[in-house]
Structure formats: structure tokens, C-alpha cells
């Protein structure tokens, strides 16, 4: 609904494309001031151009501690406050676990776990001082049920789920809600190999009871609910959005 996030300030990571871009645009359409953060300056400019009144951007590498540490402060300097943090950015390297280098695990954990925790801690200081806030972590169904070939990624998203639940319990007394969205198969750039192969796409969709992949726009209403005042009693929850794939026998 237009205006439901009027006056809210949101930071969305991984906002240059896919799920992050869809959430950033959805928040802006509902009246929020959004700072979209990612590594790709060109794609961020394209995002901002869709709604320059509501969307501004910040180029950041989540593996760069110095760049990361000032991101929340940048949002506050720009808009005077921060109300919503969406930890969406992530990496998902596929590998044979027996030969996957330790350096790749470290990179996956740094981007998918350490960076979101660092941003949550920084945003949380402002939330506590101002009397509340929202943190929305984007995990994956692989964080709920493991997947072969994605051991490191699955472990990192599993950590995100437990992080969500633990932080929600710790910060509920500060009126800070922490929730998690766990998408299944969505038609994004990350799924390009599947989308470009009719055979792979057929096999992938066959495992989904809804018989299709999701569209990123279908995650926006949930992300908006979790950012809005109507979700003030929802915290520590993990919302699986996968067309029924995780729930089937």
C-alpha cells in the first residue's frame, strides 16, 4: 500500500539487482527513503534513476571493513536516522566440498555472516537510542535444509537463521524486530545457468510444487510488512518463500 513506509529510512544491501533492487524499489514506492548499497556503481545508478526522490546509493564492498563500518553512519548523515536494515547481499559459490579451498569458505562467511552482523550491530546502536527499528535478513532455503554442492553457502545461511532468532530474543526489549526471509528458487541473475537451459529449468521446476520459479516482486510485500509498524509483534521468525518446495515430503 502506498505510504505505509512514509518517513522511514532504510538501508538495503545487495541493492544493485535481483531481490535487493526489488525491495529497494518496493520501499521507495511506499514512501521510504532508501539507501541502496552494493559494489556495482553502474547498476546502482540505474536503480536510483528509477526514483531519485526516494532512492540514493552507496558503493561498498562488504569485505572491506573500513568501507563497511561507515555505511550506517553514512545513512544517518544523509537522512538523520535509520529505521530499517535489510541484509540482502551475499555470495553463493558452488563447489565440491572435498576440494573447496578454505579461503573460499572464509570469503563466503565474511560476506554472508560477518558483514550482516557488523551492520546489524551498527544499526542497532541507533535503533536502541531512538526506541526501535527493524532488521530483515535475507537467507535461503539452503539455510533451512542443506544442499549438496553448496556446503559453505548453506552453512552461512544456516548461521543467518540462528543469528536472526538469537538477536531477536536479545533485542526485543528495545522494540527492535529481527526477522528472516528464506527464498527458494527465484528467477535472478544467480540462476542464469538454470534459466538459460530448458533442460535444467525443467528439472529445477519439477521439484517445486508450484511448478515455477518465483519472481522477485513476490518477495516485496513480505519485506514491506516486516519493515512496517504492523509487524511490531513479529520477531525471530523465518519466512520460507519457495512455492512449497521445502514443505513437500
Amino acid at each position: 500500500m502506498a505510504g505505509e513506509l512514509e518517513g522511514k529510512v532504510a538501508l538495503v544491501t545487495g541493492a544493485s539487482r535481483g531481490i535487493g533492487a526489488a525491495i529497494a524499489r518496493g520501499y521507495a514506492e511506499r514512501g521510504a527513503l532508501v539507501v541502496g548499497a552494493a559494489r556495482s556503481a553502474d547498476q546502482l545508478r540505474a536503480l536510483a534513476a528509477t526514483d531519485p526522490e526516494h532512492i540514493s546509493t552507496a558503493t561498498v564492498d562488504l569485505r572491506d571493513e573500513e568501507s563497511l563500518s561507515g555505511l550506517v553512519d553514512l545513512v544517518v548523515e544523509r537522512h538523520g536516522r535509520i529505521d530499517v536494515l535489510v541484509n540482502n547481499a551475499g555470495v553463493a559459490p558452488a563447489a565440491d566440498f572435498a576440494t573447496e579451498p578454505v579461503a573460499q569458505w572464509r570469503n563466503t562467511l565474511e560476506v554472508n555472516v560477518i558483514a550482516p552482523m557488523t551492520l546489524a550491530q551498527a544499526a542497532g546502536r541507533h535503533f536502541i537510542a531512538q526506541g526501535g527499528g527493524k532488521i530483515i535478513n535475507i537467507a535461503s532455503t539452503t539455510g533451512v535444509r542443506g544442499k549438496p554442492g553448496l556446503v559453505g553457502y548453506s552453512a552461512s545461511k544456516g548461521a543467518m537463521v540462528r543469528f536472526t532468532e538469537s538477536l531477536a530474543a536479545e533485542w526485543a526489549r528495545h522494540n527492535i524486530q529481527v526477522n528472516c526471509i528464506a527464498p527458494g528458487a527465484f528467477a535472478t541473475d544467480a540462476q542464469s545457468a538454470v534459466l538459460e537451459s530448458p533442460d535444467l529449468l525443467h528439472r529445477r521446476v519439477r521439484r517445486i510444487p508450484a511448478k515455477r520459479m518465483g519472481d522477485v516482486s513476490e518477495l516485496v510485500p513480505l519485506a514491506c510488512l516486516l519493515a512496517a509498524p504492523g509487524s511490531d509483534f513479529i520477531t525471530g521468525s523465518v519466512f520460507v518463500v519457495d512455492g512449497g518446495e521445502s514443505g513437500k515430503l
Side-chain angles (χ1 to χ4, degrees), residues 94-97 142 145-152 154:
D96 180 342
F97 181 73
T142 64
R145 294 187 175 184
K147 186 172 182 178
L150 289 170
V151 174
S154 297

Side-chain angles (χ1 to χ4, degrees), residues 23-132:
I23 291 174
R25 289 192 299 267
Y27 283 0
E29 289 168 2
R30 289 159 176 81
L33 296 173
V34 181
V35 177
R39 288 186 297 171
S40 173
D42 289 343
Q43 290 178 313
L44 285 175
R45 278 192 290 270
L47 171 69
T50 64
D51 190 345
E53 181 181 350
H54 291 94
I55 301 175
S56 62
T57 64
T59 305
V60 61
D61 184 341
L62 296 186
R63 295 166 297 186
D64 183 333
E65 185 177 345
E66 184 176 344
S67 178
L68 184 65
S69 62
L71 185 54
V72 170
D73 288 339
L74 173 67
V75 175
V76 174
E77 288 168 12
R78 195 174 286 177
H79 296 298
R81 60 186 292 117
I82 181 171
D83 301 290
V84 182
L85 168 64
V86 180
N87 281 313
N88 167 70
V91 294
D96 180 342
F97 181 73
T99 56
E100 186 177 11
V102 173
Q104 186 159 282
W105 306 343
R106 289 198 178 103
N107 182 67
T108 300
L109 292 171
E110 190 170 358
V111 174
N112 294 0
V113 182
I114 301 301
M117 291 178 71
T118 301
L119 289 173
Q121 188 178 59
R125 296 188 188 105
H126 292 279
F127 292 162
I128 290 169
Q130 69 195 25

Side-chain angles (χ1 to χ4, degrees), residues 161-193:
V161 170
R162 295 285 89 82
F163 166 57
T164 295
E165 295 168 342
S166 300
L167 187 60
E170 183 165 329
W171 279 359
R173 68 184 186 276
H174 298 300
N175 190 32
I176 299 170
Q177 291 80 50
V178 188
N179 290 291
C180 182
I181 300 174
F186 276 75
T188 66
D189 290 348
Q191 295 287 336
S192 58

